Amino acid sequence: MAHNIRRYSKRRCCALVPLTCLIISAHGQDQWEDWGDEWDEPAAASEPRFPINGFVEATGSYRTRDSDVLAEEWVAQDLRGRIQTFYQGSGVMLSYKGEVFYDGVDHELHASNREAFVGFTPHSAVDVRVGRQILTWGTGDLVFLNDFFPKNWVAFFSGFDQQYLKAPSDALKVSGYSQWFNLDLVWSPEFDPDNFITGNKLVYFSPLAGEVVAAPPELQAEGPGTNLQDGELALRLYKTIRGIELAAYAYHGYYKTPEGFDPQRGTLYFPELSSLGASIRGNALGGISNLEYAYWDSRENSDGENPLLPNPESRFLVGYERELVRNLTASFQYYVEYTHDYDNLKARRPDPAQRPRKVRQLLTTRWTLSTQQSNLVYSAFVFYSPSDEDYYLIPNILYRLGDQWQFNAGANLLGGEHDYTQFGQLETNSNLYARAKFIF
Amino acid sequence: MKPLPLLITAFRGLTFLLLAGLALQGKAQELDVNTIVTRANHVAFYQGEDGRAETRMKIVDGNGREQLRQFTILRKNVEDNGDQMFYVFFQRPSDVRRTAFLVKKHLDQDDDRWLYLPSLDLVKRISAGDKRTSFVGSDFYYEDVSGRGLQEDRHELVATTDTHYKVKNTPLNPDAVEFEYYLVWINKDTFMPEKTEYYDAQGKMYRSIESLQVEDIDGFPTTTRMKVSDHRTAGYTLSEMRFIKYNIGLPDEVFSERSLRTPPQQWLERPSR
């Protein structure tokens, strides 16, 4: 074999590709040696057993509109360090991601475990993952119909890295695989709500007060109990047939934000919610198309008779994405929330500010222009609701400097005709943000 | 990010062509251009039933700034010279560690492509898109990795030397690509495409791909070092492959959403040889 190698090399250099020889002599062999690490002959695995990585990231987000109710000009001043490691071997997978961060607006130091799970494969067709983990499914882009895993809306609206939109779950995930279909079952023994806007740093519309408010007091909500039967169950069945991804979803748990009001106790709480849905995604029309549906059953208010609880809803999504020209990708989504038993709701909540639209429509578009071999990326995401007459625009510029530095600058620009719609209420939270990240 | 692995396979195939060429030197003069490019395509992209390789890339921009990429590629042919499946698992840089990429390459329709982003646990479907865009931020294009359909160009044998066929390839749909034409030097012995040069409308060569080292691996001539140069920016990318093994018996199930979320460790481990 060695003989053969030499022969090829010789032929190449001497006769075949004179240009090659020129290049080799010009750059020298050291071009191939200095990779900043060892990449030795056969080791047991293709990467270190417990690689330690992480980053330090600074985020600053400055309010662009004066608020009548919140004097603080900064939405976020955040400096954080991340340490993470990962192990895979002997049929076991371990992942840990931990962060320490300083909140410069509240002058507080925090620590959090973002990921801490063990994965194993008890059977060749079963994977189990237990512990703190990030979980995502569904076909929407920043629109969630069947994904009831916790979201961090505060981080999202404040200009943090988009990975922070997904908050971790403390859960057991069992995945099964077969030739007919695959299955994911996720059990969260304790309810994981979204990190929703409470009036601290970000304002919101309070239906009780009838206006936009800020903390203090922070929005408080009563969670479900902590008994085993008070947890959440999420199920996905899925299969890919000739590139077409089919999935069915079910969820049994609670609204992830406090949508209900308990008049006896005078508190907001997370009403019971069950959901059934389905999605399909595949190549179409030179791009990717997706359709998704979900029926949200507000279990405590299935007939829509209780004005203090959400009504059942149907949610539809259709999306399309394609690369328009080289390095420029555009995507579009049309999303509808249809409120069932609306007449009951209307009769009991005559003030439009106090009730959702019967049909809430949302259009989104995302544009991404990648330049300089993906080192300079311009993007914009727009939400626009013709029914609510409100909008949310997220322009962003990403610049990568080598493998270690990333810089982002952008904005969260919100507004609308009314101060009670989803984005209209957040108008004075509009901000400009900048982030700098050093990766190690 | 876009997939590097296809490129690697392609170049491996090229290497094979070179070797095959050697063996057939006597008859080589009589081959028509379609036979030559078909065999070159096989050597560059289709050797063995399947295979695995670890790749790292050094991306150097016009200012001399460097970036590194490192990943493991698994490939399986669905049919010889036809559809293929690729799985790529990234190790470097650290912010993309555990990112995985899955491609089902189709000759008669758009490829199916998925990217897994571990920080969001998100399986993202990627539109097939323009294949002449940067692969993982390198000077390689997606198409350099996965192969360019032979039916997309008109092929002319413009020269035959003692060692090489020089083939000129002119796109049938010039609006779809950035080049006017490209020249490929295919080794007569192995049918390995050893050098490719891309020319613009002014006839100026602005981009090149070279096979810099070829090794025999499991009986297949395999390009283990390559260089792509962007002569307009003076940037270039070096690519090196190690721990290559062919015909490892990859099951179809490896090329699935399961592997995106849970890396198939058995197939990612380095072969003991």
Side-chain angles (χ1 to χ4, degrees):
Chain A
M1 190 177 284
H3 173 75
N4 284 344
I5 292 167
R6 201 174 327 119
R7 193 175 51 149
Y8 303 145
S9 303
K10 194 176 169 192
R11 288 187 65 88
R12 181 193 69 229
C13 277
C14 297
L16 302 184
V17 190
L19 188 64
T20 300
C21 299
L22 282 175
I23 285 160
I24 288 177
S25 43
H27 293 294
Q29 281 296 313
D30 59 339
Q31 282 285 318
W32 293 98
E33 304 303 331
D34 177 26
W35 297 78
D37 73 335
E38 297 298 315
W39 202 36
D40 289 330
E41 285 306 305
S46 53
E47 60 175 332
R49 278 306 184 188
F50 277 100
I52 303 285
N53 308 112
F55 58 78
V56 176
E57 183 167 38
T59 302
S61 177
Y62 188 75
R63 197 181 302 279
T64 56
R65 299 202 186 212
D66 290 332
S67 167
D68 296 335
V69 292
L70 194 59
E72 176 59 57
E73 292 173 353
W74 290 89
V75 173
Q77 290 180 354
D78 184 279
L79 179 65
R80 65 182 57 212
R82 152 86 64 93
I83 290 284
Q84 60 190 42
T85 190
F86 177 71
Y87 168 87
Q88 196 181 20
S90 316
V92 174
M93 186 166 141
L94 303 171
S95 177
Y96 177 77
K97 293 178 179 174
E99 293 187 352
V100 174
F101 56 98
Y102 180 72
D103 178 338
V105 177
D106 288 344
H107 308 288
E108 288 174 356
L109 187 66
H110 300 273
S112 71
N113 296 315
R114 186 161 172 82
E115 222 171 76
F117 69 77
V118 180
F120 54 97
T121 302
H123 179 273
S124 63
V126 178
D127 289 331
V128 174
R129 202 171 277 192
V130 59
R132 180 161 294 192
Q133 50 193 308
I134 305 293
L135 293 162
T136 299
W137 63 41
T139 65
D141 183 6
L142 301 181
V143 174
F144 303 96
L145 289 78
N146 288 295
D147 178 337
F148 296 92
F149 305 112
K151 326 270 183 320
N152 185 344
W153 296 108
V154 174
F156 182 64
F157 288 115
S158 302
F160 284 81
D161 186 304
Q162 266 190 18
Q163 72 166 297
Y164 293 104
L165 171 59
K166 296 297 291 196
S169 303
D170 292 325
L172 168 71
K173 179 183 182 188
V174 179
S175 303
Y177 309 94
S178 75
Q179 60 184 102
W180 300 284
F181 60 87
N182 306 306
L183 171 154
D184 286 327
L185 182 63
V186 178
W187 178 47
S188 302
E190 206 166 294
F191 173 62
D192 291 311
D194 287 354
N195 187 14
F196 51 88
I197 294 172
T198 63
N200 179 24
K201 304 190 188 94
L202 298 174
V203 303
Y204 66 97
F205 179 81
S206 163
L208 298 176
E211 61 183 0
V212 170
V213 299
E218 277 197 71
L219 181 66
Q220 301 279 337
E222 198 80 5
T226 52
N227 296 322
L228 284 187
Q229 69 268 24
D230 298 325
E232 300 169 271
L233 268 180
L235 174 76
R236 177 174 69 129
L237 301 175
Y238 65 100
K239 184 178 179 65
T240 302
I241 302 172
R242 286 192 288 276
I244 307 288
E245 298 166 81
L246 303 168
Y249 311 85
Y251 172 75
H252 189 80
Y254 309 88
Y255 282 84
K256 308 296 281 191
T257 51
E259 305 287 329
F261 182 72
D262 181 342
Q264 259 106 53
R265 306 169 73 176
T267 57
L268 292 168
Y269 76 107
F270 305 90
E272 293 174 4
L273 171 67
S274 291
S275 171
L276 280 176
S279 68
I280 179 169
R281 180 167 66 178
N283 287 339
L285 308 168
I288 304 292
S289 294
N290 61 291
L291 275 172
E292 189 166 342
Y293 171 79
Y295 178 75
W296 287 30
D297 181 12
S298 180
R299 296 204 306 276
E300 298 167 54
N301 187 32
S302 287
D303 50 8
E305 291 285 345
N306 186 340
L308 302 176
L309 294 173
N311 276 30
E313 276 180 291
S314 283
R315 299 185 169 210
F316 304 89
L317 173 71
V318 54
Y320 177 67
E321 176 186 312
R322 76 172 290 171
E323 190 177 65
L324 295 180
V325 294
R326 188 166 300 137
N327 293 318
L328 175 65
T329 300
S331 69
F332 306 89
Q333 295 183 118
Y334 175 62
Y335 169 69
V336 173
E337 293 172 358
Y338 175 84
T339 303
H340 293 276
D341 307 308
Y342 195 75
D343 290 344
N344 288 344
L345 180 70
K346 204 170 165 182
R348 286 159 210 276
R349 283 201 224 171
D351 180 0
Q354 299 285 339
R355 62 168 197 251
R357 299 257 170 189
K358 182 174 184 178
V359 179
R360 175 169 178 255
Q361 302 179 75
L362 190 60
L363 297 162
T364 81
T365 181
R366 180 191 286 277
W367 292 73
T368 307
L369 174 65
S370 183
T371 70
Q372 298 184 14
Q373 294 175 186
S374 307
N375 288 317
L376 182 59
V377 181
Y378 303 88
S379 66
F381 194 96
V382 183
F383 293 92
Y384 171 69
S385 172
S387 55
D388 285 6
E389 299 174 284
D390 63 357
Y391 65 88
Y392 178 18
L393 167 63
I394 316 168
N396 189 78
I397 297 174
L398 160 66
Y399 179 60
R400 286 194 185 91
L401 183 62
D403 288 332
Q404 298 206 288
W405 287 97
Q406 289 177 13
F407 302 94
N408 279 273
N412 291 288
L413 305 172
L414 300 120
E417 287 295 307
H418 310 286
D419 64 2
Y420 54 83
T421 60
Q422 179 164 9
F423 301 127
Q425 65 179 314
L426 304 176
E427 186 163 319
T428 56
N429 295 325
S430 295
N431 59 75
L432 297 173
Y433 63 80
R435 300 195 301 268
K437 187 177 193 176
F438 176 77
I439 299 158
F440 60 87
Chain B
M1 287 216 166
K2 293 181 178 181
L4 193 66
L6 295 177
L7 214 166
I8 290 167
T9 313
F11 280 89
R12 232 184 258 155
L14 287 174
T15 311
F16 177 78
L17 278 177
L18 244 172
L19 289 180
L22 280 171
L24 295 167
Q25 205 160 13
K27 300 181 193 168
Q29 311 296 345
E30 298 145 30
L31 294 179
D32 69 37
V33 69
N34 286 326
T35 306
I36 294 167
V37 297
T38 300
R39 291 174 71 163
N41 188 52
H42 177 88
V43 168
F45 296 96
Y46 288 95
Q47 293 191 114
E49 294 291 312
D50 61 26
R52 62 97 65 197
E54 289 176 38
T55 300
R56 57 185 188 179
M57 289 185 166
K58 184 183 288 182
I59 305 161
V60 184
D61 72 13
N63 298 317
R65 282 190 299 245
E66 292 185 0
Q67 294 187 37
L68 299 181
R69 304 284 183 268
Q70 185 171 326
F71 48 89
T72 302
I73 298 173
L74 307 175
R75 168 190 57 99
K76 181 169 182 171
N77 295 346
V78 177
E79 54 188 281
D80 198 19
N81 295 335
D83 289 1
Q84 290 179 301
M85 302 186 286
F86 297 90
Y87 171 85
V88 189
F89 183 73
F90 287 88
Q91 282 107 15
R92 290 173 74 173
S94 69
D95 66 321
V96 301
R97 186 185 292 274
R98 278 170 64 198
T99 297
F101 188 66
L102 177 65
V103 182
K104 299 203 173 176
K105 170 185 159 186
H106 305 293
L107 295 195
D108 59 347
Q109 63 187 77
D110 283 345
D111 295 352
D112 296 309
R113 305 202 283 169
W114 293 266
L115 185 67
Y116 176 69
L117 303 171
S119 62
L120 290 162
D121 186 44
L122 176 66
V123 174
K124 187 173 160 48
R125 186 85 182 236
I126 305 173
S127 55
D130 192 325
K131 293 182 179 177
R132 300 197 63 76
T133 55
S134 168
F135 174 75
V136 298
S138 74
D139 293 284
F140 285 98
Y141 289 163
Y142 176 79
E143 192 170 80
D144 301 327
V145 183
S146 64
R148 177 172 170 81
L150 292 175
Q151 73 287 354
E152 293 182 64
D153 301 312
R154 185 163 47 85
H155 310 283
E156 296 167 77
L157 182 59
V158 292
T160 303
T161 68
D162 287 348
T163 54
H164 283 78
Y165 301 110
K166 182 179 172 187
V167 176
K168 181 179 181 183
N169 308 273
T170 310
L172 297 181
N173 178 10
D175 294 337
V177 293
E178 87 289 359
F179 56 80
E180 193 74 6
Y181 65 92
Y182 64 100
L183 299 175
V184 184
W185 282 258
I186 296 169
N187 186 292
K188 288 170 75 172
D189 295 332
T190 63
F191 284 84
M192 179 69 78
E194 293 185 324
K195 184 175 68 165
T196 305
E197 292 179 348
Y198 294 86
Y199 291 82
D200 63 19
Q202 286 72 48
K204 195 167 152 60
M205 196 266 283
Y206 65 92
R207 181 171 190 266
S208 61
I209 305 176
E210 299 145 84
S211 164
L212 299 184
Q213 180 173 292
V214 175
E215 296 177 52
D216 182 301
I217 301 200
D218 299 335
F220 299 107
T222 303
T223 295
T224 53
R225 283 182 177 180
M226 283 190 293
K227 177 175 183 171
V228 181
S229 304
D230 181 336
H231 300 285
R232 288 171 176 159
T233 65
Y236 61 93
T237 296
L238 302 177
S239 170
E240 179 173 16
M241 275 171 292
R242 291 191 192 175
F243 313 113
I244 301 166
K245 195 163 172 59
Y246 291 98
N247 293 327
I248 55 178
L250 281 171
D252 287 351
E253 292 73 42
V254 166
F255 301 91
S256 68
E257 180 175 334
R258 181 183 190 178
S259 295
L260 290 173
R261 294 181 189 262
T262 304
Q265 189 206 347
Q266 176 191 355
W267 305 105
L268 293 174
E269 286 196 354
R270 283 181 187 163
S272 53
R273 286 217 172 267

